[in-house]
Amino acid sequence: MKRIVILISGRGSNMEAIVQRCAEQGWPAQVVAVIANRPQAGGLAWAAAQGIATAVVDHKTHASREAFDDALAEVIETHRPDLVVLAGFMRVLGTRFVQRFASRLLNIHPSLLPAFPGLHTHRRALEAGCKAVGATVHFVTPELDHGPIVMQSVVPVRPGDDEHSLAARVLATEHVIYPQAVHWFVEDKLKVADGIVTQTDGASQVLL
Ligand code: GRF
């Protein structure tokens, strides 16, 4: 049984999707804790209602990024995770934290990386005239929104789209690709070589 810890900052819809697929599909895994950096993160109540342990490590109560990262890492370690999943976790994590959880730290970013790392991805894609956008699940490296790509979704940009309509269309695909990527991880079906991730059964790593 692989132990999964999920980090959130807000509503936690990706976290919900992972918890639900894990139960429905009988993964060899369990979400053992949901940890937020904001006490008001909406997803905490949902997780608690499922009987999942929850915790808050409030970044505002720590004097430095490093102190926050260390406190967060300590709480995560108490749950002995095989995998740490960043699901709408809106704090940049430092190199020491990333190295501590190296190869067992996943993130989802709402763009087709390496395009548009950082914030306001949908607005920036519209401003750039992109005809397709999407989301990326990747292993985390110290560089922001960077690291070996596990799976991507691609959605069209339609006439009249604004950043909200685009975000909603992309989010629906996040709820498919993130559980899929985590499922592969917990079944040991991901191989990383020279920064390239392969699904060892040969399954498609793109949702079109
Ligand atoms: C998602 O679009 C995620 O890709 C981005 O923030 C959003 C989080 O949504 N980083 P939720 O908290 O999972 O509902």
Side-chain angles (χ1 to χ4, degrees):
M1 236 357 160
K2 294 255 178 16
R3 300 172 62 82
I4 303 171
V5 169
I6 304 183
L7 307 188
I8 63 170
S9 295
R11 74 192 151 184
S13 68
N14 280 289
M15 175 270 296
E16 278 190 37
I18 291 165
V19 170
Q20 283 170 339
R21 288 305 92 69
C22 180
E24 287 163 13
Q25 299 177 346
W27 300 354
Q30 193 185 352
V31 176
V32 293
V34 171
I35 303 171
N37 66 309
R38 295 170 63 238
Q40 64 273 37
L44 287 171
W46 186 88
Q50 312 308 304
I52 299 170
T54 60
V56 175
V57 182
D58 188 345
H59 62 273
K60 289 190 179 149
T61 63
H62 293 84
S64 66
R65 281 190 181 277
E66 293 72 25
F68 167 72
D69 283 5
D70 289 348
L72 179 62
E74 290 304 318
V75 174
I76 293 170
E77 295 281 18
T78 64
H79 296 283
R80 296 177 285 107
D82 299 291
L83 175 64
V84 179
V85 171
L86 308 181
F89 186 72
M90 303 304 283
R91 296 294 295 176
V92 176
L93 295 162
T95 299
R96 188 164 64 200
F97 181 99
V98 171
Q99 284 172 350
R100 190 162 171 174
F101 297 101
S103 305
R104 52 180 175 135
L105 189 56
L106 288 174
N107 182 42
I108 192 161
H109 182 73
S111 80
L112 288 171
L113 292 174
F116 308 120
L119 296 174
H120 310 302
T121 55
H122 305 300
R123 186 193 311 167
R124 289 156 62 204
L126 284 168
E127 285 167 1
C130 292
K131 308 308 177 211
V133 295
T136 303
V137 178
H138 64 98
F139 284 101
V140 176
T141 57
E143 195 179 332
L144 180 68
D145 297 327
H146 188 267
I149 292 171
V150 177
M151 190 168 188
Q152 292 185 304
S153 59
V154 181
V155 304
V157 177
R158 299 200 180 119
D161 265 332
D162 59 19
E163 60 181 307
H164 302 291
S165 62
L166 219 43
R169 195 173 309 131
V170 171
L171 186 67
T173 70
E174 294 180 38
H175 297 160
V176 177
I177 66 170
Y178 214 177
Q180 177 67 83
V182 173
H183 191 185
W184 287 337
F185 183 96
V186 299
E187 291 199 325
D188 294 320
K189 288 189 171 165
L190 297 175
K191 188 184 78 184
V192 188
D194 297 329
I196 306 294
V197 185
T198 311
Q199 203 280 359
T200 53
D201 287 342
S204 175
Q205 290 171 244
V206 59
L207 175 71
L208 293 170

